Amino acid sequence: MTRWRQSLAVLAVALFALAGPAGAQEPTPRVSISLEPSSRPELADLLTARLTTPDGGPISEARIEFWIRSDLFGERYAFVGESPTDSTGVARLPFVPHLSRYDVRVTFDGDEVWGPAEATAPIEFPTDHVVTYTATDPSQLGSLRFVMPRIMGIVVGLVWVGLFGLAFFTLRSFKRSGSEQVSHD
Amino acid sequence: MTAIHPSLPGLEEAALAPMRRSGRGYRIGVLLLALLTAAGIGAFIYQFSTGIGVTGMNDQVFWGIYTVDLVTLIGFSYGGAVVSAILRLTNASWRGPISRLAEGTALATLAVGAVFPLASDGHPERVWRLVTAMQINSPIMWDMVAIVTYLIATIILFALPAVADLGRLQAAPGLEGWRRRWFRAGAFGWSGTAGQHRVLDRSLTALAIMIVPLAVMVHTVLSYAFSLTSRPGWHSTIFGPYFVVAAIYSGVALVVVVVVAFRRIHHLERWIPERAVMNLGYLMAALGVLYGYLLFTEMTTEGYVGAEATERLMYALLLDRWSVLFWVFVAVGLVVPLLIIAFRRTRTVAGVTVAAGLVAGALFLKRFLMFIPPLTEPQIGGEIGGYTPSWVEIMVTVGALAAIPLLLVGLFKVVPVLAVTEMEEIAASRGEMT
């Protein structure tokens, strides 16, 4: 009887051991987002994501993707880059801001040990680090974009008036001077 | 005030020759042209109802043979109008017998060519949006404005001297029925007084002065549709003059073909002298040399810099997949016509006509080489594009080409083929009246 119980126990442990890994879910790590502003405005700031175990330990060599919220082609998160975590669990992505605030999302797709994780947070950039685009026009001809087509329109209008006027007055002159004396010698 | 110029014996009859009942061969020819034109219209209607997917155009080659047709036909029209205008301004005495045919050629080719922007459109029924949703910074919009302006000028250039001739010939023998009524109505009171001649002369001179820059403008703006893009092979500062010279070159060539065809069919040899055809031939040869020079300049400047994409395109044109067509153009469009006109033995009316026919055809090929190969070169990714015109495009093109002689035949059924008033004026000024 004891041997029978021992055999059942061994079988149960073996089945548990076999079924266990397949049935269990990978633990979900924690991910957080922050900004490491650059020391000088001309250098890019670093978007950082820290990936940790549930008890706070770093997860290294994990691939982190960075996204920003965009309304280009519809509201969505646009992919901006990816970076692996280092030995402290931190992934960094150089980022040049064109706005002072971005909604940033970081995602970790998971691996054979850890499940997927993601986090979204608003990130404020130092105002003097924001690079704003200004239209460049070295030749200063851009202002003609407004004026030139309108001048051309006036010229074309004058040409049309000239052409129709020429035809009209010529034909009217034919009529008027048609009564003069004619001879075919 | 008294007038005016006595008539040249036999000129009235010659000017009205195309209006007489014609022979069987002529009628069969006209019927064939009508059938081809109808087939072209049918193909266009099929494309309109089915969608532009029935053409060979695709994502990469988004302009096909219709664009080639557009530029070629407007180029043809340019030659006719400018020949007439320049010869008037320079007071060339040999212009008289060919001016009406040149202006008619300009009108017919422009009327047919102006249809092609519609054929290139996926939704031609939305053409009115060019006006209601006007984009005034778009070269395409200005293309349309330029073409319409040029069409108005060409109609007036054709119509004013034609009005004088309708008046001059309204009492001509052999003119009966509806045609006599039409001549009387279309004469606008023209009776050939000195005052009328003076007004007509001044108006035509003013119009000739206007039409030359207008024609330059049309072809330059047309070239902007290509050269204002950053595509290798198109983005070139030489494109404006290149288009203008190509247009006059091909236009003069077509005028030669039309003049010789009407001269032969309607037995106008007495009125259209060999000298007029030869002079057109010399003009064509001079323009051919100029066009060859522009081609050489374009190739050397673009090739010397050797930007990667341009170099790829030039290799394809000169040595690779487009090279056969390119060198055929150089031979048929430049070298052979020049040789024909250079040698006395081949410098005959027939020779000049053959040369002109070769130039007209070769310039069509050149436009194909200007537009299609640059589109096949990849801008994004590395895949080379391809383009083969579909049967619909070929049918529309054939129909359009057939419509030009058909329009000319129709035009000269209602308008004298020779500029009688002008010819009499020239003859009077040279003391040739009998």
Side-chain angles (χ1 to χ4, degrees):
Chain A
M1 190 65 184
T2 309
R3 277 186 74 175
W4 175 243
R5 278 185 184 168
Q6 281 177 341
S7 300
L8 274 177
V10 168
L11 186 63
V13 169
L15 283 172
F16 182 78
L18 282 172
Q25 282 196 327
E26 295 96 343
T28 303
R30 288 189 300 186
V31 63
S32 62
I33 310 169
S34 61
L35 180 71
E36 285 181 16
S38 64
S39 55
R40 295 207 305 267
E42 65 271 22
L43 298 177
D45 296 326
L46 295 172
L47 286 175
T48 61
R50 180 179 293 277
L51 189 67
T52 57
T53 59
D55 54 5
I59 300 175
S60 61
E61 301 299 322
R63 181 174 167 273
I64 303 290
E65 292 182 351
F66 293 79
W67 308 72
I68 56 168
R69 192 184 173 99
S70 165
D71 57 4
L72 184 68
F73 304 127
E75 200 166 292
R76 66 204 174 94
Y77 278 92
F79 179 71
V80 288
E82 63 179 46
S83 176
T85 55
D86 60 15
S87 57
T88 63
V90 174
R92 294 179 177 82
L93 184 78
F95 186 82
V96 178
H98 302 295
L99 302 169
S100 59
R101 183 181 185 278
Y102 285 90
D103 283 338
V104 180
R105 172 178 286 177
V106 294
T107 59
F108 169 60
D109 288 344
D111 55 21
E112 61 276 10
V113 180
W114 300 102
E118 69 170 52
T120 306
I123 298 291
E124 296 280 348
F125 287 85
T127 314
D128 60 338
H129 288 203
V130 175
V131 177
T132 52
Y133 283 123
T134 49
T136 56
D137 182 16
S139 61
Q140 300 299 308
L141 291 174
S143 54
L144 292 179
R145 271 178 168 271
F146 181 81
V147 177
M148 274 304 287
R150 284 158 181 80
I151 292 175
M152 281 169 66
I154 292 167
V155 170
V156 169
L158 288 174
V159 169
W160 282 37
V161 169
L163 288 170
F164 283 119
L166 184 84
F168 175 76
F169 286 110
T170 305
L171 293 177
R172 200 180 65 164
S173 298
F174 286 179
K175 284 259 184 205
R176 284 189 173 175
S177 54
S179 54
E180 291 173 12
Q181 190 188 343
V182 182
S183 71
H184 287 283
D185 302 325
Chain B
M1 235 178 259
T2 58
I4 270 311
H5 313 297
S7 58
L8 292 162
L11 179 58
E12 290 182 359
E13 197 183 343
L16 300 176
M19 296 181 193
R20 284 194 296 271
R21 193 173 169 77
S22 37
R24 195 171 166 208
Y26 182 83
R27 289 204 300 275
I28 290 172
V30 171
L31 181 67
L32 188 66
L33 291 173
L35 286 175
L36 287 172
T37 305
I41 293 170
F44 179 69
I45 292 170
Y46 172 73
Q47 180 193 310
F48 181 63
S49 57
T50 315
I52 205 164
V54 298
T55 68
M57 288 184 271
N58 50 66
D59 288 348
Q60 206 161 331
V61 182
F62 49 80
W63 281 344
I65 201 165
Y66 291 152
T67 308
V68 176
D69 294 335
L70 167 73
V71 176
T72 306
L73 294 186
I74 291 181
F76 283 154
S77 82
Y78 188 20
V82 169
V83 162
S84 173
I86 290 179
L87 295 185
R88 166 167 281 280
L89 290 174
T90 55
N91 206 20
S93 61
W94 53 277
R95 75 178 190 275
I98 61 164
S99 61
R100 178 65 42 77
L101 281 163
E103 289 154 11
T105 306
L107 191 56
T109 48
L110 186 57
V112 176
V115 174
F116 278 100
L118 294 182
S120 293
D121 274 351
H123 284 279
E125 78 279 7
R126 294 181 190 166
V127 70
W128 54 272
R129 296 192 66 184
L130 266 175
V131 179
T132 57
M134 194 182 281
Q135 292 292 326
I136 59 169
N137 284 309
S138 163
I140 301 287
M141 204 281 289
W142 289 105
D143 262 359
M144 295 304 290
V145 171
I147 290 170
V148 171
T149 308
Y150 182 49
L151 183 61
I152 293 168
T154 308
I155 289 171
I156 297 173
L157 182 70
F158 179 83
L160 288 184
V163 163
D165 284 344
L166 293 180
R168 166 72 184 79
L169 296 174
Q170 58 186 315
L175 201 65
E176 289 166 355
W178 66 269
R179 209 169 258 138
R180 184 177 290 278
R181 287 195 295 278
W182 152 243
F183 270 52
R184 198 165 292 152
F188 280 89
W190 176 275
S191 54
T193 64
Q196 287 175 328
H197 275 279
R198 200 168 48 245
V199 168
L200 179 65
D201 192 50
R202 283 180 187 165
S203 297
L204 288 180
T205 303
L207 198 56
I209 291 169
M210 284 173 85
I211 210 156
V212 174
L214 259 181
V216 170
M217 182 186 83
V218 171
H219 250 71
T220 307
V221 173
L222 204 56
S223 80
Y224 284 173
F226 304 91
S227 61
L228 296 189
T229 65
S230 62
R231 185 175 290 275
W234 286 3
H235 182 56
S236 164
T237 53
I238 210 171
F239 249 43
Y242 208 22
F243 267 55
V244 171
V245 173
I248 315 181
Y249 185 35
S250 61
V252 171
L254 190 68
V255 169
V256 170
V257 173
V258 169
V259 164
V260 172
F262 273 84
R263 181 178 185 262
R264 188 181 170 89
I265 291 169
H266 298 295
H267 310 292
L268 301 173
E269 287 86 353
R270 181 184 159 203
W271 301 103
I272 304 178
E274 194 174 317
R275 185 171 74 97
V277 179
M278 288 301 151
N279 286 348
L280 282 175
Y282 292 138
L283 183 60
M284 185 179 76
L287 289 163
V289 172
L290 183 57
Y291 191 74
Y293 162 70
L294 289 179
L295 177 69
F296 176 77
T297 305
E298 185 205 20
M299 289 292 170
T300 44
T301 47
E302 301 254 334
Y304 189 81
V305 173
E308 191 186 337
T310 311
E311 199 169 286
R312 237 182 8 241
L313 175 66
M314 288 193 67
Y315 181 75
L317 268 177
L318 299 178
L319 299 165
D320 198 22
R321 60 186 190 283
W322 301 104
S323 59
V324 173
L325 292 180
F326 179 81
W327 292 111
V328 164
F329 160 71
V330 172
V332 173
L334 294 172
V335 179
V336 174
L338 282 177
L339 290 176
I340 287 174
I341 293 168
F343 292 107
R344 184 173 292 178
R345 180 176 288 201
T346 50
R347 198 168 55 230
T348 58
V349 170
V352 171
T353 310
V354 169
L358 291 176
V359 169
L363 263 287
F364 185 90
L365 176 62
K366 180 64 172 69
R367 266 73 174 238
F368 184 91
L369 290 168
M370 282 169 97
F371 307 142
I372 308 301
L375 283 174
T376 62
E377 287 297 316
Q379 300 289 296
I380 301 172
E383 204 168 315
I384 291 170
Y387 170 74
T388 309
S390 70
W391 70 266
V392 177
E393 288 168 288
I394 291 171
M395 206 59 249
V396 171
T397 301
V398 170
L401 294 179
I404 293 166
L406 194 64
L407 272 177
L408 284 170
V409 166
L411 202 57
F412 294 122
K413 284 284 179 194
V414 292
V415 175
V417 71
L418 297 174
V420 175
T421 311
E422 193 174 9
M423 287 172 73
E424 286 174 347
E425 274 181 22
I426 293 169
S429 67
R430 290 161 58 93
E432 288 174 3
M433 307 301 283
T434 55

